[in-house]
Amino acid sequence: MLLNCANIQKSFGATEVLKSASLMVEEKEKVALVGVNGAGKTTLFKIILGELAPDGGEIALKKGARLAYLSQHMDLAPENTIYEELLSVFKHLADMEEDIRQMEGQMAALSDAPLDRLMEKYAKTVKGFEDSRGYEYKSRVRGVLAGLGFNEVEHTLGIAKLSGGQKTRVALGKLLLSEPDLLLLDEPTNHLDIAAITWLEDYFLREYEKAVVIISHDRYFLDKVAKKVVEIEHGKAKSYRGNYSTFIEKKARDFEIEMHHYASQQKEIAKQMESIRLLRSFNREKSVRRARSKEKQLAKMERVDKPQPAPDKMRLSLVPQIQSGYDVLTIKGAKKTFGDYLLFKNINMEIKRGEKVALIGENGVGKTTLFNMLREGDGAITLGTNVKIGYYDQELKFTDAEKSIFQEISDTYPRMKNLEIRNALAAFLFVADEIDKKLGALSGGERGRVALCKLMLSDVNFLLLDEPTNHLDLFSKEILENALIEYEGTVLYISHDRYFINNTAEKIYELQKGGSTIYLGNYDYYVEKKTEMAANTNQPLAEETFGRPSSKDDYLRNKEEAAKVRKNKAKVEKLEAKIEETEAAIVAADTELAKDEVATDATKAQEVYLMKVALEEKLVRLIEEWEEVAHL
């Protein structure tokens, strides 16, 4: 065992954050630490690091194990270049390399015994250098820098001149190269584009052989990297073997099982309580003694806690008040320069009503700039009939930080009644006194919810969303995904959240300096086509369409087919749910028939039996319908 956190407790004033949280990490294990915002994930990290003292519980780290945390390494040497900073990780190898060169120079001037001693020392030093992968360290540094998105020109940039995001990437690179026994990462993908995140996934899977515990909202990343998920919920931690998707499935199944156990016990308790009441009502010594005995047994019963469902999630209702024309957006040959600097050129896009489209590309390629061109107007950009744009800004800025949440909505929509505003804010989890919070005091997630609420209340029908999931927790992301899937308007969004793209995008445009590439599918489809492109070096990199229909009729036909598939899938899932309900009802009927009070009551037994026969007939019909629909 590399790390064992047992029954950790931590409170801040009257707020109990961690009640009894346990976390175990094996050597080389990749663990995801998840939970809603405020669940205590970062608090647990700080306790492990010794920055906070726990109120209870124990932490044991394997003797001699090295522990590292991303923020601990932000004290980068400002006088170094990026390359020098990462190279400093291997100072011991650089020193060995220098010793080897010096010994090689000394050998020519020595003879006999001194030479023999030097040769022996030289052989040991060379072996140690080779065993430490000394001949690889410079190429490893260059490989990590390239993977994290630094080109060769940027290697010579001074640390002092870097942005906060660039410094974070340098610090992450140093951590990866130093390879501590346990690496704690809090949102490691925040300052990485998709290419860098994909590289980091591959690095953890193929090269990094140490243990990692990751806090991240990037579900696609967790799916790729994590082999175990630990969820902190209601102050406790529970472990699940597998990746994030497996965790979601197991959590839902566990909740159903726990609810069943709780309901069964509550039923038994009620039965015993009624029995005790009846015995006491007889008011006889023997029956009273028996009632007391039952009470003692009931008091000793280990009670099953009622399972608590996940916290309330945003309930979005995004329905455009005005329908736009069929052609929502057309871009032909868009270009953007800043002085002599060309940001991008030859951008072509077509978006139709109701489409959910993702815009992706490397950081700095101009995605947000293109959004601004859409909002401000440009000669190469044409908006369709009755198109009204609503914009969600990743910066989440508000004009007056002193306003309350309620005032912000009221001032934006002055015709809304107070009750209507309260109901709208409640849909975004702002209830009671929370609506009086000042905008300047809100967390990133809260600001995001306010911005989405304002967008929902507007009369737009074309949503431009710039990194909409950046400030949302894992569960709120799922609600936003479902809302966008059901949304009848048109959506174009910028996102690095591949899980989000995979679940919502029908079409992807990749923005590049020299043009745009369209992929008619979700993120998995995009990856598949990019892999094919890599295998075929003759494939052009820009202005290419993958899966584009040959005409408007083909497009509509494909869209109708996709709608049919989704509708059929929903019908199959609904039938499967009904089958499960009916099977459970049959089992309940069998249980009822086995009871003494039913078996000895002919009328009751006949009633339950007939109900069971009806349920069995219904089950046959449902299965037949399922077989017919499932094989379409």
Side-chain angles (χ1 to χ4, degrees):
M1 183 68 63
L2 180 62
L3 173 71
N4 184 19
C5 303
N7 303 315
I8 303 300
Q9 300 166 30
K10 185 63 183 178
S11 297
F12 295 97
T15 305
E16 192 176 29
V17 178
L18 299 174
K19 297 178 182 177
S20 179
S22 297
L23 170 67
M24 292 184 291
V25 183
E26 303 284 353
E27 292 185 25
K28 302 182 180 182
E29 193 172 33
K30 307 298 187 292
V31 181
L33 188 62
V34 304
V36 299
N37 290 343
K41 304 184 294 295
T42 302
T43 298
L44 183 58
F45 264 21
K46 288 181 178 179
I47 290 172
I48 293 170
L49 291 162
E51 294 178 8
L52 285 175
D55 299 330
E58 295 181 354
I59 295 176
L61 182 66
K62 184 179 178 181
K63 187 176 181 180
R66 291 188 304 126
L67 177 65
Y69 179 50
L70 183 57
S71 66
Q72 287 182 330
H73 289 258
M74 290 302 288
D75 54 343
L76 307 173
E79 68 276 8
N80 279 348
T81 64
I82 292 176
Y83 181 73
E84 289 168 344
E85 189 66 21
L86 264 68
L87 205 61
S88 68
V89 171
F90 300 108
K91 186 179 183 303
H92 63 296
L93 291 178
D95 291 343
M96 289 174 70
E97 193 174 28
E98 182 60 29
D99 289 344
I100 289 170
R101 289 200 191 99
Q102 288 182 3
M103 284 187 281
E104 287 172 345
Q106 294 168 3
M107 285 178 192
L110 297 175
S111 60
D112 300 332
L115 179 60
D116 290 342
R117 286 195 296 273
L118 184 61
M119 287 290 290
E120 184 179 348
K121 180 182 178 184
Y122 176 80
K124 288 182 180 178
T125 305
V126 168
K127 187 177 187 308
F129 188 71
E130 290 175 345
D131 291 345
S132 301
R133 298 169 66 187
Y135 293 111
E136 304 173 23
Y137 78 91
K138 291 181 181 178
S139 63
R140 287 173 66 192
V141 168
R142 288 192 292 271
V144 167
L145 284 173
L148 291 174
F150 292 109
N151 59 47
E152 289 192 13
V153 174
E154 292 172 320
H155 290 187
T156 58
L157 288 176
I159 297 296
K161 296 181 179 179
L162 300 183
S163 67
Q166 288 173 317
K167 287 180 180 178
T168 301
R169 283 190 282 149
V170 172
L172 176 58
K174 285 187 68 176
L175 281 179
L176 295 176
L177 290 169
S178 64
E179 294 189 339
D181 298 290
L182 176 59
L183 181 55
L184 304 181
L185 295 177
D186 195 343
E187 298 293 351
T189 64
N190 266 6
H191 297 283
L192 303 180
D193 59 21
I194 289 177
I197 296 171
T198 303
W199 171 85
L200 185 60
E201 288 168 356
D202 191 64
Y203 192 86
F204 277 138
L205 291 173
R206 299 178 187 275
E207 294 192 41
Y208 200 80
E209 297 185 350
K210 303 294 185 178
V212 186
V213 181
I214 305 164
I215 296 172
S216 179
H217 287 150
D218 189 331
R219 296 159 295 172
Y220 203 94
F221 179 75
L222 296 181
D223 254 358
K224 292 285 187 180
V225 174
K227 304 302 179 188
K228 181 170 78 177
V229 176
V230 177
E231 183 188 27
I232 298 182
E233 187 176 35
H234 309 303
K236 298 182 179 180
K238 186 172 182 179
S239 295
Y240 298 81
R241 283 287 165 193
N243 63 8
Y244 181 80
S245 293
T246 304
F247 150 69
I248 291 297
E249 293 172 4
K250 287 183 177 179
K251 179 178 168 65
R253 189 163 62 247
D254 286 355
F255 180 78
E256 290 178 3
I257 293 170
E258 289 167 6
M259 278 300 295
H260 175 73
H261 289 165
Y262 173 77
S264 296
Q265 188 182 69
Q266 289 298 305
K267 190 175 181 180
E268 179 62 24
I269 290 172
K271 182 179 176 181
Q272 293 298 327
M273 292 290 288
E274 177 62 17
S275 176
I276 291 168
R277 188 189 67 78
L278 285 172
L279 287 169
R280 285 191 174 279
S281 70
F282 297 150
N283 201 24
R284 296 173 186 166
E285 184 179 350
K286 186 175 180 180
S287 63
V288 170
R289 283 202 307 271
R290 193 173 172 192
R292 287 173 182 166
S293 175
K294 280 181 171 286
E295 284 175 336
K296 289 178 181 178
Q297 290 176 355
L298 201 57
K300 291 179 182 179
M301 180 185 289
E302 187 175 345
R303 302 296 175 99
V304 176
D305 293 333
K306 184 177 181 179
Q308 299 184 54
D312 284 341
K313 303 171 184 177
M314 295 185 297
R315 300 171 292 279
L316 306 184
S317 178
L318 298 171
V319 181
Q321 297 177 22
I322 302 171
Q323 189 179 72
S324 70
Y326 174 73
D327 295 312
V328 172
L329 173 68
T330 303
I331 302 178
K332 292 185 178 179
K335 177 181 179 181
K336 186 64 178 179
T337 58
F338 293 96
D340 294 332
Y341 177 73
L342 173 67
L343 184 61
F344 56 70
K345 65 176 182 179
N346 201 29
I347 304 301
N348 300 297
M349 295 175 65
E350 287 184 2
I351 297 179
K352 310 300 181 184
R353 184 178 63 233
E355 286 188 328
K356 315 299 185 296
V357 183
L359 180 64
I360 66 174
E362 295 179 358
N363 289 342
V365 76
K367 301 184 294 294
T368 300
T369 299
L370 184 61
F371 262 30
N372 291 335
M373 291 168 66
L374 291 177
R375 296 166 61 211
E376 297 165 4
D378 184 275
I381 297 172
T382 303
L383 292 176
T385 308
N386 292 330
V387 172
K388 298 197 71 175
I389 291 177
Y391 182 59
Y392 178 90
D393 185 353
Q394 63 172 315
E395 297 298 326
L396 301 176
K397 294 177 182 176
F398 297 105
T399 54
D400 187 352
E402 290 302 310
K403 277 187 183 180
S404 69
I405 298 172
F406 183 90
Q407 287 173 326
E408 178 71 11
I409 302 300
S410 180
D411 290 350
T412 306
Y413 302 104
R415 294 185 179 181
M416 286 186 69
K417 296 177 181 177
N418 287 357
L419 182 59
E420 292 174 332
I421 295 174
R422 287 179 178 274
N423 289 339
L425 288 173
F428 288 85
L429 311 187
F430 294 114
V431 295
D433 294 341
E434 290 182 331
I435 67 173
D436 297 321
K437 283 185 177 180
K438 302 295 184 184
L439 296 176
L442 300 182
S443 68
E446 288 170 328
R447 291 199 304 274
R449 283 188 272 143
V450 173
L452 284 168
C453 182
K454 289 174 66 177
L455 194 61
M456 181 197 75
L457 295 171
S458 66
D459 59 354
V460 303
N461 51 32
F462 182 25
L463 303 182
L464 298 181
L465 309 178
D466 195 350
E467 298 289 359
T469 64
N470 260 9
H471 303 284
L472 303 180
D473 61 35
L474 295 171
F475 307 104
S476 294
K477 285 182 181 184
E478 293 170 11
I479 299 303
L480 178 59
E481 285 167 8
N482 293 332
L484 291 184
I485 290 169
E486 297 299 323
Y487 180 54
E488 295 176 7
T490 309
V491 184
L492 174 63
Y493 62 80
I494 298 168
S495 181
H496 288 115
D497 188 332
R498 296 160 298 165
Y499 203 97
F500 178 75
I501 297 171
N502 218 32
N503 285 351
T504 58
E506 301 167 291
K507 185 162 72 176
I508 295 173
Y509 276 101
E510 183 176 25
L511 193 64
Q512 298 145 335
K513 188 170 185 176
S516 52
T517 310
I518 179 176
Y519 302 82
L520 287 188
N522 62 6
Y523 188 79
D524 284 343
Y525 180 82
Y526 162 79
V527 171
E528 179 187 335
K529 291 303 175 184
K530 290 288 282 188
T531 304
E532 289 179 12
M533 287 169 64
N536 182 2
T537 55
N538 294 324
Q539 190 77 278
L541 293 178
E543 294 188 70
E544 192 70 28
T545 299
F546 296 95
R548 181 194 288 267
S550 58
S551 67
K552 180 176 176 179
D553 289 340
D554 288 338
Y555 170 82
L556 290 172
R557 195 179 304 112
N558 287 351
K559 190 171 182 180
E560 286 173 6
E561 284 298 319
K564 285 180 183 177
V565 170
R566 287 196 299 271
K567 189 174 181 181
N568 191 68
K569 183 182 177 184
K571 191 172 182 180
V572 168
E573 291 174 351
K574 192 173 181 180
L575 283 168
E576 288 174 347
K578 286 183 178 180
I579 288 171
E580 287 183 12
E581 289 174 8
T582 308
E583 288 175 335
I586 292 171
V587 171
D590 282 331
T591 303
E592 195 73 12
L593 285 170
K595 292 179 179 177
D596 291 340
E597 59 267 31
V598 175
T600 56
D601 185 335
T603 303
K604 181 65 175 175
Q606 177 71 3
E607 180 184 329
V608 175
Y609 175 75
L610 291 174
M611 180 180 70
K612 179 188 173 185
V613 171
L615 286 168
E616 287 173 339
E617 291 174 353
K618 179 183 177 182
L619 180 62
V620 171
R621 291 196 303 272
L622 286 171
I623 291 174
E624 288 175 350
E625 189 177 353
W626 177 85
E627 287 177 340
E628 183 180 342
V629 175
H631 293 88
L632 286 179

